Amino acid sequence: VGQPPLSATLAPAFEPRGERVLVVDLDYQGSLTSLMLAQSNTQPDQFPSTVDLLLADELPQHWHQLAIKRVSDRLHYVSCWYTFEKLERNLEYRWVLHDTEDDIRFRLARALLSDDVQRNYDRVIVDAPPRMTTGFLNGFCSATHLFVPTVVDNVSAVAVATFARQFRELRSVLNPQIEFAGIVGTMTTLLNAQG
């Protein structure tokens, strides 16, 4: 719970340090995209899912010009909307049927490791959905650190513990370099000293 607000809060925090930040939305609900649009005071007529380009069979030649949108000089983002759900399902079926020439779990990494991203950004923040989808796996395979935002209660603690076990298994198979950076409490209330 709270991945988009965490990503949207972290991203502009690096601007005062002079860092150039790229934010990638991988959840077809588009919550992070909506937050980036709000920060840029943009109200588009259409809501394209530009992350679809990054997971295509081949990266278009000028994909970065097509996919990356601007919030400010140092903060850019890649949008995600409901068309991404269809793309994810399509990729999953094709991969299971061995109808792809590559491992679809590493397509985002292919884009993020490109010269265009490496040369133009100091930091990349990936907002992945809270479910094991193609988008989540691409985020996992391209990340160096993982934060897990969660509600601080007993029910969520069980879910986070289950995820931590899955993380260990996925890490050893898909991305041995990723580090579990921490759990971030969301939707918490502050108690005063008296109460």
Side-chain angles (χ1 to χ4, degrees):
V1 176
Q3 299 95 290
L6 177 62
S7 298
T9 302
L10 279 175
F14 296 105
E15 279 188 282
R17 297 169 47 173
E19 293 189 32
R20 298 161 300 169
V21 180
L22 176 63
V23 178
V24 180
D25 191 350
L26 288 174
D27 192 340
Y28 61 80
Q29 291 178 339
S31 299
L32 179 62
T33 296
S34 295
L35 292 169
M36 292 291 101
L37 287 168
Q39 285 186 30
S40 66
N41 293 317
T42 305
Q43 295 179 348
D45 295 331
Q46 300 179 42
F47 295 91
S49 184
T50 60
V51 76
D52 297 21
L53 295 172
L54 279 62
L55 271 65
D57 287 350
E58 295 195 26
L59 280 174
Q61 186 175 9
H62 300 290
W63 70 267
H64 55 284
Q65 294 169 344
L66 301 168
I68 298 174
K69 306 298 178 192
R70 184 176 178 222
V71 173
S72 66
D73 287 342
R74 289 195 177 109
L75 177 57
H76 300 167
Y77 69 99
V78 176
S79 65
C80 190
W81 295 109
Y82 285 94
T83 58
F84 188 62
E85 179 184 22
K86 184 177 178 182
L87 174 69
E88 285 184 300
R89 295 296 86 73
N90 183 294
L91 284 174
E92 289 166 6
Y93 298 143
R94 288 181 56 216
W95 192 55
V96 167
L97 296 171
H98 304 288
D99 187 34
T100 61
E101 294 184 18
D102 64 328
D103 189 332
I104 64 167
R105 299 172 297 184
F106 295 92
R107 288 189 176 182
L108 178 64
R110 168 190 69 186
L112 298 182
L113 292 172
S114 71
D115 287 342
D116 295 310
V117 173
Q118 295 297 306
R119 195 173 43 242
N120 292 308
Y121 299 98
D122 301 301
R123 192 169 307 270
V124 177
I125 297 173
V126 177
D127 180 47
R131 54 198 172 278
M132 293 288 181
T133 63
T134 303
F136 174 87
L137 290 172
N138 269 266
F140 188 91
C141 290
S142 64
T144 58
H145 295 80
L146 176 72
F147 289 92
V148 177
T150 186
V151 174
V152 182
D153 64 14
N154 290 336
V155 173
S156 298
V158 171
V160 170
T162 300
F163 177 78
R165 284 191 294 279
Q166 291 173 332
F167 172 83
R168 276 195 303 270
E169 293 170 17
L170 284 175
R171 182 180 190 268
S172 63
V173 174
L174 294 177
N175 185 355
Q177 304 305 313
I178 193 171
E179 294 183 29
F180 191 79
I183 298 168
V184 179
T186 62
M187 298 173 57
T188 61
T189 57
L190 297 175
L191 298 175
N192 64 28
Q194 284 91 20

